[in-house]
Amino acid sequence: GLREHRQVVQLVAQNPDDQLFAADVFRDVSFGPLNLGLPEEQVRARVEDALAVLSIEDLADRPIHELSFGQRKRVAIAGALAMRPCVMLLDEPTAGLDPQGVDEMVGALEAMLAARTTVVIATHDVDFALAWADAVAVLRRGAAVSGPPGDVLSDAALVGEARLRQPLVLQTASRL
């Protein structure tokens, strides 16, 4: 069942170097689809689609070791996306990215949603969670408190107990 599971759910770790291993971008992104036994033309189409969603088509022939951290992160996500999962689990997808990289990542996340992929993100970036998520869960003492981002993240005590900071806009609103 593991093979079928990997076609349905994909996980991308916070550090892309934990997942990237091929000599160049195209080979790395094609690894999963090739292991499904797909025909070469179908693998190529999946890789090209995944690279396009992440706006990294120009990196296809680049060696992995020449990429920036943000580029490596997008390549790792492209590899997972090439599997065409129903659910994408992302650990800190915006960590270590500059503002343009964050904007590009948000674009990629929106494209995944448009392709009817469920996106689940683990993040400490509460401002990003407030702006992007439909629902959030904050872990506190081994239990999750979940709900709409504005409701959950406006609870200063909960957010503090989780060792997080309230989103800036909610801090400002509470002071007003």
Side-chain angles (χ1 to χ4, degrees):
L2 189 55
R3 181 181 170 129
E4 289 79 20
H5 176 71
R6 287 185 179 139
Q7 292 178 51
V8 176
V9 178
Q10 284 288 299
L11 169 68
V12 180
Q14 179 176 354
N15 185 347
D17 296 330
D18 292 341
Q19 290 181 244
L20 303 175
F21 59 87
D24 63 56
V25 170
F26 191 91
R27 287 183 201 159
D28 203 275
V29 175
S30 67
F31 178 79
L34 282 171
N35 281 305
L36 294 176
L38 299 175
E40 185 178 332
E41 63 276 357
Q42 196 173 0
V43 170
R44 180 171 296 284
R46 283 185 179 215
V47 171
E48 289 171 356
D49 289 348
L51 296 176
V53 166
L54 288 140
S55 302
I56 55 172
E57 304 96 323
D58 59 317
L59 302 179
D61 297 324
R62 294 266 304 273
I64 296 291
H65 71 274
E66 290 182 2
L67 302 177
S68 71
F69 180 81
Q71 290 170 327
R72 291 192 316 271
K73 188 169 271 214
R74 285 184 280 172
V75 170
I77 293 172
L81 193 57
M83 295 294 288
R84 298 205 175 142
C86 295
V87 179
M88 180 77 80
L89 306 173
L90 302 169
D91 185 12
E92 300 285 359
T94 60
L97 299 181
D98 60 21
Q100 181 179 346
V102 171
D103 290 345
E104 291 168 351
M105 183 61 67
V106 168
L109 295 172
E110 296 295 336
M112 287 182 227
L113 292 177
R116 304 188 56 78
T117 300
T118 299
V119 179
V120 179
I121 295 173
T123 186
H124 290 90
D125 185 346
V126 292
D127 292 294
F128 173 71
L130 178 66
W132 191 79
D134 294 331
V136 299
V138 173
L139 300 178
R140 175 186 62 180
R141 290 185 247 130
V145 176
S146 62
D151 295 348
V152 174
L153 297 175
S154 64
D155 184 338
L158 168 68
V159 172
E161 286 179 35
R163 300 178 51 112
L164 298 169
R165 289 195 181 102
Q166 275 190 297
L168 185 58
V169 68
L170 295 179
Q171 288 178 34
T172 303
S174 71
R175 288 181 185 146
L176 291 175

